[in-house]
Amino acid sequence: MSQSSSDKGPKSRPTAQQIARLNHGVSGSLRVSLAALLLVIGGFSAIYLATSGLINSPAISLPVLVILLLGATLLGNSLPVTLPLDGHPGDASATAKAALLDDPCLKTAGIGVIFYDSDADGFMVNSLARQHLGVTRTGWMPPSILANNLEQSNTTSLWTTIQRAVKEPLLEPQEFVICCGDGHEKYIQIEPAESNREGLELLRIMTRDITHLHHLKRKIQFAETMWDKHHDALLLLDEQFTIIDVNPAFLSLIGSSRASALGQPIQRFRADPEDRKCAASIRSALRRKDNWYGRTWNRTREGEVFLAEERIVKFEPDVGKNAQYIALISDQACRAPEAAAIDRESDTDSLTGLGNREGILAHLRSNLARANVFNRHLAVCYIDLDCYQGVHERFGKTISDELLIAVANRLRSQSRTIDYIARLGGDEFALVLAGVESPEMVMAYGKRLLMSIRGTYQLSNRHKIYLTASIGASFYPSADVSGEVLVRHAHQAMYQAKDKGRDRIELFDAERHRIEDGNRRRLERLRYALENNELCIHLQPLVNMRSGQVLGAEALLRWEHPEDGLVFPDQFLPLVSGTDQAIEVDRWVMEAVMLQIERFSRHGYPLQISVNIDAGYIQSDHFVNDLEALLARHPRVSPALLEIEILESAALTDIERACSIVRKVQNMGITVALDDFGTGYSSLTYLKRIPADTLKIDKSFIIDILSSTESRHLVKAVISMACKLHHTVVAEGVETDEHAKMLLDMGCELGQGYGIQKPIAADSLLEWLRAFEQPLLQQESSNVYWLDQAGQK
């Protein structure tokens, strides 16, 4: 809109007199104001004189007349400027000036107009310019009024620019900020341009409200910045989903150049370019609601597959033109550097620089999703350093940390770029192995890791530490698909490696885990059974096979399971052996036995009942105290009616301590039996060192004495040796008359077994005792005819 200086005629530039008028316009406006004041004073004075009758007094009316003449003179000097511009009919140029102010073309374009009229020494402002500049009036106004209005709008710089434009028109448009009355700001552009129409010498200044253009410009700048700097991949697609434009994040994510990406269908970068189902689903959603959100599998230029969150939004760039789409693809690989740095810090072990537990779980979640979709394999190796705790206790934290860093470096040297290494805490590390095809490959890789860790470490140039490790591995898809479960399974396998001697690798066995998990559930159920009285004892009588006298019984634990029926102890007691739960079970059994001894004594059958006690409980600090408390709770029970059985095959870790406890038990009047004699690896040692009262020969030897000469000789030797050591001998597993006859011939009179009576409930044993007819004492060993009768009752 502006004109160059070369296009302007000489008459269009203001004269020096005009500039002087502009600079001294304030004095002219004062003359007008003074003239108006004199006329008002004179007019009110004349009215007063007329109403009071003093109008004919020369002394009074003459001054009033002077005032009126002076005001008229001053006003007359100003009329040539103001009246024509106000549209006085006598001024031929007023119509032309008004036409310039009200130019319909300018109004349509939203352009305001300010004229500087050198003849009037003032400015003419139309309605649009008034709105743009925030001034309070239109039409003609002197420079002082316009300056005043612009100062109120905090745009004194605009007034300075207008003054400068009067002297020398600006070559380029200028922008200004106008403070509106409601607190908002708007942006104004002025563009000076001289006008010489209808013979008028006027300087025209055009104003535009460019607030909306300014906001649009800021939005465009913001959009351009977001497009270039956004950490997620952005694509502009045409109606056929062909790429029109991409941002740098997309090129970084895909590993492609801009030239190779433009013009390509987005389907080309999908993990399966031939999968039309996903594209059809997206198009259908966009037709319904103009946007789509979901997850897609994509592929980098190197062929790496990744799962991404994707959002596609439809928009129409121009009316009547085909729709376009903006796609946003979010993946960890294209995060902003700041966000990635934060994530790296939260997923990194501060000591070694490896990943940590959070990092490896996040890595597993991502890789398991890919493996699940594309049928790939991976494995987790859980590494624990052997004897690290001793190093830490001996050398302290500084040296032990140095050792951990050295191990981490060795793991780095053995790992591949596709593997992920993490330190899970303490001396535990883990690796996620990708690209493994079989458990055998995992085992081979684990053995290389063991070799790399195994060896001597030189620390701080003075400490030499030899180190090994134990590794447990889990394999997908042989194991569950959860990352947490894979790590836990590898951790369990690592403990198996520890149990088998350390410095080895063990692969997680799903079947073994199933069994162990079932055992764990049974242990939990057993604890419930203890609390709810589901356990019971059965009793198997002990008989003098020569006389047929019932001397006692052995208490055998049973579980009356509400769903599984009667459960035998070999199905649940091995699970608790050596644990606190085994002690709880033994305490319950001893209490139940004491109650049965009391009951049988009341009915006239003071039987001695033996109870088998876990070796760990016997060697505990509180076993003797528990026995004393038990006897105290049952003062009517003779201690001699209770017998404690120690399994000969039990692991008595401290023989001396066990012997001391046995003597304390015997001092209470309780007898002690060595049960299942002959089944352990140190039978003679137990027989020699443990001061047992009774020796019970295991049934595995008794059953074979009829068919095996070796078994007969062995049993006969044990009976002879026990008698010489003054031990009472009991034969277990007596099933037939022939067994009883042979045992009597060997010198063993006491026996128990299915041939005499199988274990039965306490109530049933009481009935059996009442119905049992004790035979007369027989001296000849061959006469044991009562044995058949006893077994049938």
Side-chain angles (χ1 to χ4, degrees):
M1 297 292 295
S2 62
Q3 299 175 354
S4 63
S5 57
S6 60
D7 295 334
K8 299 173 183 177
K11 294 184 178 182
S12 64
R13 194 173 296 278
T15 63
Q17 183 181 3
Q18 293 170 341
I19 295 173
R21 289 179 180 178
L22 177 63
N23 293 334
H24 297 86
V26 175
S27 61
S29 62
L30 290 176
R31 289 198 303 273
V32 174
S33 301
L34 182 60
L37 179 63
L38 292 175
L39 288 175
V40 170
I41 294 173
F44 276 108
S45 300
I47 294 172
Y48 174 77
L49 293 176
T51 55
S52 61
L54 300 176
I55 190 66
N56 295 324
S57 174
I60 297 176
S61 59
L62 184 61
V64 174
L65 181 61
V66 171
I67 290 172
L68 291 172
L69 290 175
L70 182 59
T73 303
L74 290 173
L75 184 60
N77 291 335
S78 302
L79 284 177
V81 176
T82 58
L83 290 179
L85 291 177
D86 285 338
H88 193 277
D91 193 338
S93 65
T95 303
K97 294 176 179 179
L100 288 175
L101 283 177
D102 299 327
D103 189 334
C105 295
L106 297 179
K107 286 185 177 181
T108 302
I111 299 175
V113 178
I114 305 175
F115 283 124
Y116 172 69
D117 191 339
S118 59
D119 295 332
D121 190 20
F123 294 89
M124 296 181 67
V125 180
N126 72 352
S127 58
L128 277 177
R130 177 182 67 82
Q131 296 174 13
H132 295 165
L133 302 180
V135 299
T136 57
R137 53 185 286 186
T138 56
W140 182 88
M141 63 180 70
S144 59
I145 300 298
L146 181 59
N148 224 5
N149 276 266
L150 295 180
E151 288 175 1
Q152 292 177 1
S153 299
N154 296 326
T155 51
T156 53
S157 60
L158 176 58
W159 171 242
T160 303
T161 303
I162 292 175
Q163 286 180 304
R164 189 167 64 249
V166 170
K167 299 176 184 179
E168 183 177 355
L170 301 177
L171 300 179
E172 295 181 356
Q174 300 289 322
E175 294 183 6
F176 301 91
V177 180
I178 302 293
C179 297
C180 304
D182 58 1
H184 290 85
E185 294 181 343
K186 62 181 177 181
Y187 294 83
I188 298 300
Q189 184 185 67
I190 68 168
E191 184 176 351
E194 294 177 314
S195 174
N196 188 16
R197 294 175 55 186
E198 305 293 338
L200 302 175
E201 294 186 6
L202 303 172
L203 177 66
R204 183 175 65 183
I205 300 174
M206 295 183 293
T207 65
R208 292 185 181 89
D209 185 348
I210 59 169
T211 302
H212 69 291
L213 294 176
H214 186 83
H215 290 167
L216 181 60
K217 181 180 178 181
R218 291 182 62 181
K219 289 181 180 179
I220 293 173
Q221 291 174 344
F222 175 78
E224 290 177 347
T225 302
M226 289 298 294
W227 181 268
D228 292 334
K229 304 297 183 183
H230 202 283
H231 58 267
D232 289 326
L234 294 171
L235 301 89
L236 180 62
L237 311 172
D238 65 12
E239 194 173 27
Q240 304 302 321
F241 278 50
T242 300
I243 298 176
I244 300 174
D245 198 5
V246 295
N247 71 337
F250 174 81
L251 301 178
S252 175
L253 173 64
I254 301 298
S256 175
S257 65
R258 179 182 178 84
S260 61
L262 299 185
Q264 299 293 331
I266 191 175
Q267 192 69 16
R268 175 187 173 187
F269 300 100
R270 301 297 190 202
D272 183 5
E274 302 301 323
D275 182 11
R276 306 299 177 186
K277 184 177 180 180
C278 176
S281 174
I282 295 174
R283 291 178 185 273
S284 176
L286 290 172
R287 283 194 297 268
R288 292 194 306 271
K289 53 183 181 180
D290 291 345
N291 69 88
W292 175 85
Y293 173 79
R295 292 186 174 186
T296 56
W297 286 98
N298 302 276
R299 188 185 300 274
T300 66
R301 185 176 181 180
E302 290 76 18
E304 183 67 21
V305 176
F306 64 93
L307 180 65
E309 294 183 354
E310 187 168 339
R311 183 180 298 276
I312 300 178
V313 180
K314 177 182 178 181
F315 78 101
E316 295 183 1
D318 294 307
V319 177
K321 291 190 175 182
N322 294 334
Q324 294 180 350
Y325 302 92
I326 293 180
L328 184 147
I329 300 176
S330 178
D331 183 77
Q332 189 175 5
C334 59
R335 287 184 171 182
E338 296 82 2
I342 294 174
D343 286 347
R344 283 195 300 272
E345 182 176 351
S346 63
D347 292 347
T348 302
D349 175 57
S350 59
L351 176 66
T352 62
L354 302 175
N356 58 16
R357 185 174 293 274
E358 290 75 16
I360 195 171
L361 291 178
H363 181 81
L364 277 170
R365 282 192 291 270
S366 174
N367 282 269
L368 282 173
R370 301 178 191 177
N372 195 34
V373 171
F374 298 101
N375 197 25
R376 296 180 178 177
H377 304 315
L378 57 84
V380 175
C381 288
Y382 201 108
I383 305 169
D384 183 86
L385 305 182
D386 298 331
C387 304
Y388 170 80
Q389 187 61 32
V391 175
H392 187 275
E393 293 174 355
R394 179 182 178 185
F395 298 104
K397 184 177 186 302
T398 302
I399 297 300
S400 57
D401 283 353
E402 186 179 347
L403 178 62
L404 293 175
I405 294 173
V407 172
N409 292 333
R410 291 197 182 186
L411 291 176
R412 284 192 184 96
S413 67
Q414 290 296 315
S415 65
R416 304 162 299 174
T417 56
I418 59 175
D419 298 333
Y420 185 93
I421 319 174
R423 176 179 173 240
L424 304 183
D427 62 332
E428 296 180 336
F429 297 83
L431 278 81
V432 178
L433 307 179
V436 288
E437 299 300 330
S438 66
E440 290 74 21
M441 288 184 63
V442 178
M443 295 295 288
Y445 191 91
K447 290 176 181 178
R448 290 199 299 272
L449 290 176
L450 287 174
M451 291 179 61
S452 67
I453 297 173
R454 185 190 305 127
T456 301
Y457 294 76
Q458 181 80 32
L459 303 177
S460 298
N461 297 323
R462 56 193 180 93
H463 297 296
K464 291 184 178 181
I465 298 174
Y466 183 81
L467 192 66
T468 60
S470 299
I471 300 179
S474 57
F475 183 72
Y476 171 80
S478 294
D480 293 342
V481 296
S482 165
E484 291 83 353
V485 171
L486 280 175
V487 173
R488 186 169 68 249
H489 286 175
H491 186 246
Q492 293 171 356
M494 180 271 293
Y495 276 114
Q496 295 173 15
K498 292 276 190 185
D499 293 340
K500 292 184 177 181
R502 303 180 178 180
D503 193 19
R504 58 184 295 125
I505 179 173
E506 288 292 325
L507 187 65
F508 174 77
D509 187 343
E511 179 61 23
R512 176 175 177 177
H513 172 70
R514 185 189 63 80
I515 295 173
E516 291 176 350
D517 187 61
N519 292 339
R520 179 183 57 81
R521 294 177 185 274
R522 279 192 289 274
L523 283 175
E524 294 174 355
R525 184 63 181 83
L526 179 59
R527 185 175 293 109
Y528 175 85
L530 270 172
E531 297 171 355
N532 292 272
N533 297 318
E534 293 181 3
L535 299 182
C536 65
I537 59 171
H538 284 200
L539 300 171
Q540 186 175 36
L542 172 67
V543 175
N544 186 312
M545 295 180 292
R546 190 179 300 279
S547 66
Q549 182 183 6
V550 180
L551 302 177
E554 181 179 359
L556 300 170
L557 184 62
R558 299 290 187 266
W559 180 0
E560 293 179 323
H561 199 286
E563 291 87 19
D564 300 337
L566 198 64
V567 181
F568 288 84
D570 59 350
Q571 295 178 318
F572 60 90
L573 282 185
L575 303 178
V576 299
S577 180
T579 68
D580 290 341
Q581 195 165 349
I583 296 176
E584 294 177 15
V585 172
D586 283 345
R587 284 172 175 162
W588 183 93
V589 171
M590 287 193 301
E591 187 70 34
V593 165
M594 293 296 283
L595 291 173
Q596 292 302 327
I597 293 174
E598 284 185 340
R599 182 186 180 197
F600 282 110
S601 296
R602 287 197 305 267
H603 287 84
Y605 299 100
L607 300 179
Q608 183 189 61
I609 300 181
S610 60
V611 56
N612 193 290
I613 300 300
D614 183 81
Y617 186 25
I618 291 177
Q619 297 175 101
S620 66
D621 295 333
H622 40 74
F623 177 65
V624 173
N625 295 333
D626 287 350
L627 274 181
E628 292 175 343
L630 180 68
L631 294 175
R633 288 195 301 272
H634 300 275
R636 290 183 293 182
V637 174
S638 170
L641 295 180
L642 177 64
E643 184 175 59
I644 300 298
E645 292 185 357
I646 301 174
L647 281 176
E648 192 274 327
S649 58
L652 295 176
T653 56
D654 189 342
I655 296 294
E656 295 300 329
R657 178 177 176 79
C659 292
S660 173
I661 292 174
V662 167
R663 292 189 182 95
K664 291 179 181 179
V665 171
Q666 290 170 331
N667 290 336
M668 298 179 196
I670 300 172
T671 61
V672 176
L674 192 59
D675 194 17
D676 293 345
F677 184 80
T679 58
Y681 67 91
S682 56
S683 300
L684 294 179
T685 301
Y686 276 46
L687 181 61
K688 176 183 176 182
R689 303 184 63 180
I690 296 179
D693 301 292
T694 302
L695 190 65
K696 303 183 75 171
I697 305 174
D698 187 69
K699 61 182 179 181
S700 61
F701 296 101
I702 303 300
I703 292 174
D704 292 339
I705 61 174
L706 298 177
S707 58
S708 171
T709 304
E710 291 81 1
S711 295
R712 284 197 301 271
H713 291 323
L714 180 60
V715 170
K716 188 173 182 178
V718 171
I719 294 172
S720 175
M721 182 173 51
C723 292
K724 290 178 180 179
L725 294 174
H726 307 291
H727 292 306
T728 300
V729 182
V730 176
E732 297 177 315
V734 178
E735 296 187 354
T736 66
D737 287 347
E738 287 75 16
H739 284 106
K741 292 174 183 178
M742 188 170 290
L743 288 169
L744 288 171
D745 288 340
M746 293 178 182
C748 177
E749 295 184 349
L750 304 183
Q752 68 181 75
Y754 274 39
I756 301 172
Q757 178 60 52
K758 65 181 180 180
I760 55 177
D763 293 340
S764 300
L765 180 61
L766 188 59
E767 295 176 3
W768 183 85
L769 288 171
R770 289 170 178 165
F772 179 67
E773 296 180 359
Q774 180 175 333
L776 295 175
L777 180 64
Q778 303 293 327
Q779 298 299 323
E780 294 184 9
S781 63
S782 59
N783 194 347
V784 287
Y785 62 90
W786 64 267
L787 191 62
D788 261 343
Q789 299 173 2
Q792 296 170 4
K793 296 185 180 202

